[in-house]
């Protein structure tokens, strides 16, 4: 949004964003289109798109005259919320593409650079012309930046998946923002037993650029959705090359880089498969649940009142105490084998007979072991859950939500936590 | 003879900043390759669902690109695996300085844009570019028929942008290799108004802008660091962008060739219009790809045991031969557009974009190809009538078909097409891709706009005036050689050499005359970097070689592709002086300088020799 001075001038001259204008400064005269101001920058600089396509900012005080002119008036896009969803042929043969936002499903408004979600199937096919050749149906659930997702959205997604599988489909592809994709993947893994593949996919590079990873990731996800692998998985670039994707288990995957294409890694294990989209080929690396083995069960009960707490040197006892106080359970991200500073152990003791306190590690890689050092042994005595687990903090965090909603008492919570539900715990690590 | 000619010049010059434009990588080379990245680029539809014609063209052409990643000069930003950092302030200030020098109006806020480029030369699929200044002007001296005249050219825009990757090579049109170290080096792009009228003027303007930029002392030097693009249109023709004219000496030829090309094409278009009027069936071929493909005939069998060595080799290696009829085209392919470039060459360039070596057409000397029998068969197969032409191509089936389709559509074009063309070293231009549309530019939202502040403006005022540099050069050299060096691309090297204590005249003569004469003699002077030249001249300064040996040393360096200090060792070019020289003169019983110089011209300094000889005589 522009500042007051510019707004006044534009109002007075009856000029709207997107109008073609002639703007005069003391020295020159410029033809261009008024651009909206997005995000950052000086609100008192008017952004003019010149006829050569470049944008420049001109400070309001230097504008001697501005007037609307004939010519290229550009209607800026209005996002319509219409949904395009229909079953065209035999639903059993179709792959359902569900959208919940994120870079992969976004389009760019080229004149402003503003990013908006692709809403309709047509828009999606416009972005991915190859989709024309595939049997798909699409459904846009919502459009959120993944950092804004909540457990409610996970439930919403799980319910939509249930509906689609009940209607009949070959597999599901879920387009999702990458920041919290591994949380959603873990949540869906606990909530759903599936007879068909459910593949989550995202993009690390925006769709406007020729180099976007969206195309390769989506094409690979479609291959996975047609495959025999009936699990909740995440399909993303395996390397920094455009050669193949990894299919990761939903409970073991984690975003491990802020920006690289191959940001997603399987932690403490191997991915399920490599997918070569150009060759339409899938190469299995690990064992998996086969298509049709499981009946569809969707149980979306979660107790979202769980804290995920990063423990740090010198952490004050009252800070931890207060955080646990305000939640019904907590997952601590401890150091090394799963330790926390000794002074915090009393805080754990205080709560652990009423609330589950779960541990995970800041090292991300490797197994927790609370026997090796005295601190670990004290923590076990204090009732901490997590000894010998190799879960990611996020998988443990979402699992605790699930456990709290499915147990009547602390003993049952511990039992659920320590049982492998969906591949989040592995007992052997070879690497 | 004004044919409504409009010429605009776009000059690109690399800036000698410490770091790249959008990351902290060094701009200076390091040859240690640490990895290779393989990527694909795809054409992206614009908001209206349109794909930029230039972008689509490239995405069809090159499916996989390889990028070499070097230590120190490449990071995740170049690899398109990390968003850009803030725009390099050193480059911004330098850009503002250039705006001041060109008297341009500086924008108040810089907005970085993305310009779609998907030929693989940018890993991201776009080039980042931003306008800093608008509507400047440059005064220059133009010479018309020996008369000097003050002129002024408008400067439309001054932009700072990122350099693209360097191309390493192409393999069968499949994988194109690039080097990432060049990507992201800051460039200044200066675009003039299209008011230039001829080639000489274009050259003068390019020279003047280059001169002005070099005066800042902050421009990168060496091969490829400056290049000119030309926008040329002739009334009734079309806007054609000619890329990558690196040598100033070529500008005139390129411009003149292009004016001739467009003028001739306008005439050819008239002929084509008539052909298309008489043969309306051609219109169907334009609309229906399928029907068009039916007109393409495989004729590989005709060439089993052909007399043409070239085709024989291709056919034996499994390639196919295809022929196509071009109704009414007889005689038109052979029309010369400019010396050694025919309408057929124009079409051949289109075929080359599909990975073929070129075309053979009906207006060529068939005897030359040894194809008399085959051609008479082709005439039968294609059912040619007297006015019809034909084209034959050799290659993989798919390449041949797509090339012939492309060539057909180009051949029957009734107006001069807007194109991006590439200049070669002879000043000919070749078709690269369609001219990019306006759907090509959109905001780079990963980089915040930069507000120009007063302190930035005052910092940018600080640049040396051209007069200061002129005075310095004339204090060191006479008008003749001084004037040359001021106009030379080696101006900054010259100043540096003088700083190093090298005799100004020797430095200037080496930079200008010696290099030119080596080039004339066929030596590849591009192999000599500025560092190489400096190293050679330092040997002279330190009295290790004589003045006369300088050109010889440079020649040896080019031949052996080596550094001065290595090449000198076994070159026999070391200077003989002092006691050694005295000994030599005594030993060979030399009485006068001339006879000594006949034998030891390269090794002996004549002044020293004459001194020793006269001392010995005493």
């Amino acid at each position: 949004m522009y500042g007051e001075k510019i707004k006044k001038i534009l109002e007075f001259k009856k000029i709207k964003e997107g109008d073609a204008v002639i703007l005069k400064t003391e020295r020159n005269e410029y033809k261009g289109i008024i651009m909206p101001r997005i995000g950052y920058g000086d609100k008192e600089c008017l952004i003019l798109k010149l006829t050569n396509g470049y944008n420049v900012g001109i400070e309001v005080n230097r504008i001697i005259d501005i007037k609307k002119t004939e010519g290229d008036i550009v209607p800026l896009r209005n996002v319509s919320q219409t949904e395009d969803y229909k079953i065209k042929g035999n639903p059993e043969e179709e792959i359902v593409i569900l959208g919940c936002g994120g870079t992969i499903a976004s389009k760019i408004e080229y004149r402003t650079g503003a990013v908006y979600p692709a809403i309709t199937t047509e828009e999606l096919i416009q972005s991915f012309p190859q989709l024309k050749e595939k049997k798909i149906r699409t459904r846009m659930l919502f459009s959120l930046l993944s950092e804004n997702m909540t457990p409610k959205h996970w439930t919403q997604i799980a319910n939509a998946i249930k509906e689609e599988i009940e209607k009949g489909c070959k597999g599901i592809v879920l387009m999702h923002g990458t920041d919290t994709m591994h949380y959603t993947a873990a949540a869906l893994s606990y909530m759903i037993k599936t007879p068909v593949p459910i593949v989550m996919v995202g993009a690390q590079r925006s769709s406007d650029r020729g180099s976007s990873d969206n195309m390769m990731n989506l094409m690979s996800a479609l291959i996975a959705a047609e495959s025999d692998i009936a699990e909740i998985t995440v399909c993303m670039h395996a390397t920094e090359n455009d050669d193949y994707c990894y299919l990761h288990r939903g409970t073991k995957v984690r975003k491990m880089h802020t920006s690289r294409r191959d940001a997603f890694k399987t932690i403490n294990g191997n991915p399920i498969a490599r997918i070569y989209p150009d060759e339409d080929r899938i190469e299995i690396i690990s064992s998996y649940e086969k298509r049709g083995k499981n009946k569809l069960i969707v149980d979306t009960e979660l107790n979202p009142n769980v804290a995920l707490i990063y423990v740090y040197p010198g952490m004050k006892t009252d800070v931890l105490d207060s955080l646990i106080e305000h939640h019904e359970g907590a997952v601590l991200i401890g150091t090394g084998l799963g330790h926390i500073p000794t002074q915090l152990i009393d805080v754990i003791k205080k709560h652990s007979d009423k609330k589950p306190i779960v541990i995970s590690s800041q090292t991300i890689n490797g197994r927790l072991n609370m026997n090796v050092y005295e601190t670990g042994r004290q923590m076990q005595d204090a009732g901490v859950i997590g000894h010998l687990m190799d879960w990611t903090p996020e998988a443990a965090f979402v699992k605790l939500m699930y456990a709290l909603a499915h147990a009547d008492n602390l003993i049952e919570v511990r039992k659920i936590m320590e049982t492998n539900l969906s591949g989040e715990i592995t007992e052997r690590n070879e690497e | 003879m004004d044919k409504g000619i409009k010429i605009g010049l776009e000059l690109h010059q690399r800036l000698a900043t410490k770091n790249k434009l959008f990351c902290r990588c060094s701009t200076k080379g390091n040859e240690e390759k640490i990895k290779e990245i393989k990527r694909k680029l795809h054409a992206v539809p614009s908001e209206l669902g349109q794909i930029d014609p230039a972008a689509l063209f490239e995405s069809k052409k090159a499916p996989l690109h390889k990028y070499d990643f070097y230590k120190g000069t490449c990071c995740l930003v170049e690899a398109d695996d990390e968003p850009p950092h803030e725009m390099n302030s050193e480059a911004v200030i330098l850009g503002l300085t250039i705006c001041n020098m060109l008297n341009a109006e500086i924008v108040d806020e810089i907005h970085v844009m993305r310009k779609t480029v998907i030929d693989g030369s940018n890993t991201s699929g776009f080039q980042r570019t931003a306008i800093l200044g608008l509507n400047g002007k440059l005064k220059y001296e133009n010479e018309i028929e020996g008369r000097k005249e003050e002129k002024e050219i408008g400067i439309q825009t001054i932009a700072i942008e990122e350099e693209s990757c360097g191309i390493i090579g192409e393999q069968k049109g499949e994988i194109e290799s690039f080097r990432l170290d060049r990507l992201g080096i800051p460039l200044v792009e200066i675009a003039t108004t299209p008011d230039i009228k001829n080639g000489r003027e274009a050259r003068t303007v390019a020279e003047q802008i280059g001169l002005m930029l070099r005066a800042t002392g902050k421009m990168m030097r060496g091969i490829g660091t400056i290049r000119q693009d030309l926008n040329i249109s002739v009334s009734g023709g079309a806007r054609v962008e000619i890329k990558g004219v690196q040598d100033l000496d070529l500008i005139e030829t390129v411009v003149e060739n292009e004016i001739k090309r467009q003028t001739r094409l306008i005439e050819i278009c008239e002929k084509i219009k008539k052909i298309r009027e008489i043969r309306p069936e051609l219109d169907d071929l334009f609309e229906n790809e399928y029907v068009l493909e039916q007109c393409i005939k495989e004729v590989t069998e005709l060439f089993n045991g052909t007399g043409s060595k070239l085709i024989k080799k291709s056919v034996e290696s499994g390639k196919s031969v295809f022929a196509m009829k071009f109704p009414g085209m007889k005689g038109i392919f052979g029309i010369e557009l400019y010396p050694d470039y025919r309408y057929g060459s124009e079409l051949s360039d289109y075929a080359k974009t599909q990975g073929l070596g070129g075309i053979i057409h009906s207006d060529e000397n068939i005897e030359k190809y040894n194809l008399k029998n085959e051609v008479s068969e082709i005439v039968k197969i294609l059912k040619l009538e007297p006015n019809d032409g034909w084209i034959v191509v050799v290659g993989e089936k798919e390449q041949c078909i797509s090339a012939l389709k492309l060539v057909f559509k180009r051949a029957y074009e009734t107006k001069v097409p807007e194109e991006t063309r590439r200049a070669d070293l002879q000043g000919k231009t070749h078709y690269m891709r369609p001219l990019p549309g306006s759907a090509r530019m959109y905001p780079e939202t990963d980089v915040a706009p930069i507000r120009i502040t007063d302190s930035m403006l005052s910092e940018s005022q600080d640049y040396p005036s051209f007069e200061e540099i002129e005075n310095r050069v004339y204090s060191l050299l006479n008008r003749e050689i001084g004037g040359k060096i001021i106009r030379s691309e080696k101006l900054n090297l010259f100043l540096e050499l003088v700083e190093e204590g090298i005799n100004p005249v020797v430095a200037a003569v080496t930079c200008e005359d010696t290099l030119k004469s080596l080039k004339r003699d066929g030596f590849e002077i591009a192999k000599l970097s500025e560092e190489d030249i400096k190293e050679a001249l330092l040997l002279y300064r330190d009295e290790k070689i004589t003045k006369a040996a300088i050109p010889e040393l440079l020649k040896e360096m080019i031949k052996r592709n080596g550094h001065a200090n290595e090449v000198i060792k076994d070159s026999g070019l070391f200077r003989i002086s002092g006691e050694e020289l005295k000994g030599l003169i005594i030993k060979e019983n030399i009485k006068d300088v001339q006879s000594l110089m006949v034998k030891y011209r390269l090794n002996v300094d004549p002044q020293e020799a004459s001194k020793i000889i006269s001392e010995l005589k005493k």
Side-chain angles (χ1 to χ4, degrees), chain A residues 25-30 37-38 40-47 49-60 62 74-75 77 107-116 126-127 129 205-216 237 240-243 257-262 278, chain B residues 35-49 51 64 76 79-84 102-116 118 122-126 128-131 134-137 157 159 161 189 438-439 441-449 451:
Chain A
T25 65
E26 207 170 289
R27 290 181 50 184
N28 291 300
E29 196 178 271
Y30 299 102
R37 183 165 272 289
I38 46 164
Y40 33 34
D42 185 342
K43 290 185 167 58
E44 294 300 352
C45 279
L46 190 71
I47 306 176
K49 175 177 272 308
L50 303 172
T51 43
N52 61 10
Y54 278 94
N55 291 4
V56 293
I58 295 168
E59 205 211 327
V60 62
R62 287 214 300 128
V74 181
R77 193 182 188 283
K107 290 179 57 115
I108 189 154
E109 213 277 353
Y110 276 85
R111 283 162 212 270
T112 59
V115 173
Y116 64 91
Q126 213 177 68
S127 302
R205 292 283 88 77
S206 57
S207 56
D208 59 279
R209 42 175 105 200
S211 64
S212 176
D213 51 337
N214 63 357
M215 188 82 80
M216 183 173 136
H237 258 65
E240 56 187 345
N241 299 319
D242 286 340
D243 42 15
H257 197 277
T258 55
S259 58
R260 275 174 65 139
R261 286 163 171 72
D262 55 349
D278 285 348
Chain B
K35 61 179 169 182
E36 192 176 275
I37 300 171
K38 291 186 193 119
R39 291 282 169 72
K40 269 183 185 179
L41 290 177
H42 42 87
V44 178
S46 77
E47 66 175 328
L48 299 168
I51 291 182
L64 189 64
L76 288 184
D80 189 45
D81 253 336
E82 182 178 312
L102 288 166
N103 200 18
E105 180 166 26
I106 290 171
V107 303
D108 297 304
E109 198 177 51
I110 301 172
H111 286 255
V112 181
M113 308 297 288
R114 297 172 173 174
K115 192 195 275 181
T116 309
I118 61 163
N122 286 66
T123 43
S124 55
F126 51 73
R128 298 185 181 94
T129 173
I131 285 187
L134 293 152
N135 289 344
K137 50 182 180 287
T157 54
E161 52 192 36
E189 186 208 74
S438 60
M441 191 101 73
Y442 65 103
E444 165 57 276
T445 43
D446 295 346
V447 180
R451 184 71 168 94

Side-chain angles (χ1 to χ4, degrees), chain B residues 438-487:
Chain B
S438 60
R440 201 169 170 225
M441 191 101 73
Y442 65 103
E444 165 57 276
T445 43
D446 295 346
V447 180
I450 299 163
R451 184 71 168 94
I452 303 289
T453 60
D454 289 343
S455 76
M456 287 159 93
L457 288 175
S458 65
E459 212 181 319
S460 72
Q461 300 289 349
D462 184 27
Y463 55 87
S465 83
F466 193 62
E467 278 77 38
E468 277 168 30
I469 290 175
E470 235 173 3
N471 291 339
R472 167 124 175 85
V473 171
Y474 285 134
S475 73
L476 296 164
L477 301 167
N478 67 31
R479 299 298 290 191
E480 194 206 356
I481 182 84
K484 272 193 206 165
I485 218 68
I486 285 167
R487 267 158 197 75

Side-chain angles (χ1 to χ4, degrees), chain B residues 148-192:
Chain B
K148 281 191 178 166
E149 169 192 66
E150 277 279 317
K151 281 198 84 171
E152 192 180 277
I153 181 89
I155 302 294
Q156 274 179 342
T157 54
I158 296 151
I160 295 289
E161 52 192 36
E162 48 181 12
E163 176 66 287
S164 57
C165 292
I167 296 175
I168 301 173
E170 209 168 344
Q171 293 166 14
K172 291 180 188 167
E174 278 288 305
I175 297 172
E176 214 166 336
S177 298
F178 295 95
R179 43 192 309 152
L180 278 179
D181 53 354
R182 208 181 81 176
L183 180 63
I185 293 176
L187 290 179
V188 62
E189 186 208 74
I190 297 170
T192 74

Side-chain angles (χ1 to χ4, degrees), chain A residues 161-163 165-166 192-195 294-298:
Chain A
I161 289 174
K162 179 168 181 265
E163 285 167 32
I165 295 177
E166 281 169 351
I192 304 172
K193 284 267 169 268
T194 175
N294 290 311
K295 288 249 152 20
L296 178 69
I297 303 170
V298 178

Side-chain angles (χ1 to χ4, degrees), chain A residues 230-249:
Chain A
E231 292 195 32
I232 286 89
T233 52
V234 167
C235 183
M236 293 288 287
H237 258 65
T239 70
E240 56 187 345
N241 299 319
D242 286 340
D243 42 15
Y244 62 95
C245 282
Y246 271 141
L247 194 64
H248 303 276
R249 180 157 286 128

Side-chain angles (χ1 to χ4, degrees), chain B residues 187-377:
Chain B
L187 290 179
V188 62
E189 186 208 74
I190 297 170
T192 74
T193 51
D195 299 326
I196 300 170
K197 290 292 172 208
N198 58 46
R200 169 167 290 201
E201 236 175 81
R203 188 211 151 101
T204 311
V205 170
E207 197 173 52
Q208 291 288 326
I209 296 174
L211 216 64
M212 184 213 77
L213 290 176
R214 282 194 293 281
T216 62
K218 290 177 180 170
M219 298 298 129
M220 260 193 204
R221 283 132 57 181
I223 299 293
T225 55
I226 186 163
R227 55 180 188 266
Q228 281 83 219
D229 294 351
L230 291 157
N231 279 299
I232 305 178
S233 69
V234 174
S235 168
R239 192 163 84 81
V240 167
E241 188 178 308
I242 298 169
K243 290 260 176 215
V245 186
Q246 286 195 10
D247 194 343
L248 278 183
D249 295 338
L250 270 183
I251 290 183
E252 270 180 78
T253 320
V254 168
V255 169
E256 270 144 37
N257 283 346
E258 180 58 23
I259 292 170
K260 282 185 200 146
R261 193 184 72 94
Q262 290 198 26
T263 313
R264 272 305 170 86
L265 284 179
I266 295 168
E267 294 163 17
I268 291 174
C269 285
E270 288 308 312
K271 291 185 204 277
I272 304 282
K273 273 183 205 158
K274 280 186 193 138
I275 295 172
R276 290 188 62 171
E277 265 168 40
I278 309 167
R279 298 169 188 253
E281 69 272 15
L282 285 169
D283 292 351
D284 299 343
L285 298 178
F286 267 79
E287 276 151 32
N288 192 328
E289 287 270 311
Y290 177 76
V291 181
L292 182 59
E293 272 180 35
Q294 298 309 303
C295 301
I296 299 170
K297 306 283 180 211
E298 173 152 15
V299 292
T300 315
E301 279 184 10
L302 289 182
F303 290 84
N304 288 333
T306 177
S308 158
K309 277 186 195 153
L310 196 77
I311 299 185
K312 193 175 174 197
K313 213 172 155 194
S314 298
V315 171
E316 276 170 3
S317 71
K319 299 244 169 69
S320 311
V321 187
F322 284 83
M324 191 176 193
K325 171 162 119 175
F326 283 73
M329 274 293 180
K330 190 168 186 187
I332 294 181
F333 294 145
I335 296 176
E336 193 173 74
L337 303 180
Y338 53 81
D340 201 21
Y341 193 87
R342 289 152 211 283
Y343 195 48
S345 331
E346 176 96 357
L347 300 178
S348 184
D349 283 340
Y350 271 72
K352 283 176 187 164
T353 63
Q354 302 304 301
L356 298 184
I359 60 170
I360 301 171
H361 62 74
S362 43
D363 291 346
E364 285 184 280
N365 179 0
I366 302 310
E367 319 254 304
K368 185 180 91 186
Y369 288 103
N370 247 334
L371 286 174
K372 225 172 157 189
N373 298 335
E374 290 86 345
V375 167
S376 51
E377 284 302 310

